[in-house]
Amino acid sequence: MLSWRTIKSKGAMIDFIRIVLYSPKGVYLEKLQKGRYGYLYQFPHETINIVIDENNGRVELKLSMMYCMQGHNFTFDRQLFMEGVRRLCEALHINLWKATVKELEFGAIMEVEETPSEYLKAHHGKPEQKLREDEKKADKNGCRFWKDKNSKLDMKMYNARKNLMQKTSSKVRSSIRNYDAASNYVKFEVHYNRPYSSLNRGKDILLYQLLTPSWADRLKEDLLLQYQRLYVTRKPLPPKNKKEASSGDLLYRQLLEYGSLLGKSQIEIKKEYYAAMHLCSLLSVNDRKSRQVYFRSIESKVAFEEGKNRYDLTEYIISALKKE
């Protein structure tokens, strides 16, 4: 059982990247294979597609270097990242470290106490942030997205152990240091659709910069800032006695549970209930008042957990950001 003093994390990591480089002298193609949509390069664990415009020397790559070099993105290895870029530079005869970063994913994997679905269900975008919440229909409560209305970035939280089980072999999983198949893991990450706009005031970010201390700090700081755009709901405490478990009480608890899945607070649920009463023409003013009294009596019986919110990942993320 984890406690706030024994928080475990896998550290912060660069995951998916899309980079573009213009090479006036052209690109060496001898070590590449012709693919359907470009050229193919084989890494130890993945084959990537490289789009090359031979007319203007434009080179575009999309990849997760950790998947390419170690077969998974559960941990980040700076030396492996550098080795992967070195191999590409050598194969293409270009300096990819000077490539412009067009898209970027940065996140952290955390070992958590409870099942990942409980953390996902508890997280929602703060109303003032105007984030559009979504989740994969085929993976309910296993992955949740928040899209920024200006399309500069998306946030994602998902069950990292399930993701690892689905995308890797048992051989790869057995090679991961300190991975416990019986533990629960959650990943929170930010996908920057235009990192130069979100992180660098519209100025290009070059690949080599991502590994510098100043940029590592900037990415870590922004990961925490983006997480703070979410709020975390609290779980109601169970009924203490039968008087708190009437049909009305249990229905209200179900309403709270359903509302929480939709990102609605207790106050918002109450407002919607009152609004529904006002729309019912069968009810007189006194009828509405009596039902409001009854609603408040049920509402008053529900207590919520106090102290630190068990689903708040702030401390976990901070712990991850302290690791190299």
Side-chain angles (χ1 to χ4, degrees):
M1 190 76 167
L2 294 173
S3 71
W4 289 99
R5 293 184 179 179
T6 58
I7 288 172
K8 299 178 182 179
S9 68
K10 298 300 172 186
M13 61 189 72
I14 298 169
D15 195 357
F16 170 83
I17 55 172
R18 179 170 72 90
I19 57 175
V20 171
L21 178 74
Y22 285 90
S23 177
K25 295 181 180 180
V27 180
Y28 189 67
L29 304 176
E30 293 301 315
K31 293 186 179 181
L32 305 179
Q33 293 182 338
K34 193 73 173 73
R36 185 176 180 183
Y37 300 107
Y39 292 88
L40 304 177
Y41 179 78
Q42 179 66 53
F43 276 104
H45 292 274
E46 295 272 335
T47 300
I48 67 165
N49 187 70
I50 305 174
V51 179
I52 301 172
D53 187 334
E54 297 180 51
N55 293 321
N56 61 10
R58 185 181 188 274
V59 182
E60 179 176 342
L61 299 89
K62 300 178 183 179
L63 74 160
S64 167
M65 191 60 80
M66 291 301 96
Y67 267 116
C68 291
M69 294 298 290
Q70 63 184 13
H72 65 86
N73 67 344
F74 200 74
T75 58
F76 181 78
D77 188 313
R78 177 189 171 91
Q79 294 303 317
L80 272 182
F81 188 97
M82 295 174 67
E83 172 61 17
V85 175
R86 186 197 66 77
R87 292 187 184 197
L88 282 171
C89 291
E90 185 179 85
L92 301 174
H93 290 194
I94 56 176
N95 183 8
L96 280 173
W97 288 113
K98 294 295 182 73
T100 302
V101 181
K102 297 296 187 181
E103 288 183 67
L104 168 68
E105 280 183 351
F106 186 80
I109 289 180
M110 299 148 279
E111 184 178 347
V112 293
E113 296 182 48
E114 301 187 35
T115 57
S117 63
E118 294 300 311
Y119 293 87
L120 270 63
K121 288 189 291 185
H123 282 81
H124 303 283
K126 292 177 179 177
E128 66 272 18
Q129 295 298 327
K130 298 180 180 179
L131 300 170
R132 183 167 68 83
E133 188 170 304
D134 199 4
E135 64 184 0
K136 290 182 178 179
K137 293 181 179 179
D139 192 19
K140 193 169 180 63
N141 295 326
C143 186
R144 182 162 287 182
F145 300 84
W146 293 272
K147 294 185 179 293
D148 193 301
K149 69 170 187 174
N150 60 21
S151 300
K152 289 182 180 179
L153 60 84
D154 304 329
M155 289 179 276
K156 182 165 66 173
M157 187 181 294
Y158 61 87
N159 183 334
R161 182 171 69 88
K162 183 177 180 180
N163 184 70
L164 187 71
M165 296 291 289
Q166 291 175 336
K167 295 183 178 180
T168 63
S169 65
S170 58
K171 182 179 179 180
V172 168
R173 293 194 294 274
S174 65
S175 70
I176 302 175
R177 187 179 178 185
N178 296 327
Y179 166 67
D180 182 356
S183 295
N184 294 310
Y185 298 93
V186 168
K187 185 172 185 180
F188 175 70
E189 67 184 18
V190 180
H191 183 116
Y192 298 97
N193 298 305
R194 290 177 283 167
Y196 48 88
S197 178
S198 300
L199 297 168
N200 208 31
R201 299 180 179 179
K203 298 178 182 178
D204 284 346
I205 302 169
L206 303 185
L207 183 59
Y208 82 89
Q209 292 178 297
L210 296 183
L211 297 187
T212 62
S214 60
W215 266 96
D217 289 343
R218 188 177 303 189
L219 289 168
K220 291 176 181 181
E221 180 184 9
D222 197 66
L223 184 70
L224 188 58
L225 288 173
Q226 296 302 330
Y227 177 74
Q228 290 169 348
R229 300 176 69 187
L230 307 177
Y231 74 90
V232 191
T233 57
R234 290 180 179 272
K235 235 180 181 180
L237 295 171
K240 295 192 293 289
N241 49 56
K242 287 185 178 181
K243 289 183 178 180
E244 294 183 357
S246 68
S247 296
D249 293 320
L250 296 177
L251 282 170
Y252 178 64
R253 287 176 175 274
Q254 283 298 108
L255 186 62
L256 285 178
E257 175 74 15
Y258 179 69
S260 175
L261 291 176
L262 297 175
K264 295 179 180 179
S265 67
Q266 190 179 17
I267 294 174
E268 288 173 315
I269 292 170
K270 182 177 181 177
K271 286 180 178 178
E272 289 185 2
Y273 175 74
Y274 281 13
M277 281 195 298
H278 281 284
L279 290 174
C280 184
S281 59
L282 296 173
L283 300 178
S284 66
V285 173
N286 288 332
D287 290 335
R288 291 172 189 149
K289 285 182 179 179
S290 65
R291 283 162 176 74
Q292 287 176 356
V293 170
Y294 177 64
F295 184 89
R296 287 196 295 270
S297 69
I298 293 176
E299 186 182 38
S300 65
K301 297 177 191 176
V302 179
F304 292 84
E305 295 176 338
E306 298 180 351
K308 283 187 174 179
N309 191 325
R310 68 166 81 182
Y311 301 119
D312 189 340
L313 295 173
T314 302
E315 296 294 331
Y316 289 93
I317 293 174
I318 290 174
S319 174
L321 300 186
K322 289 180 180 178
K323 295 188 177 184
E324 292 296 328

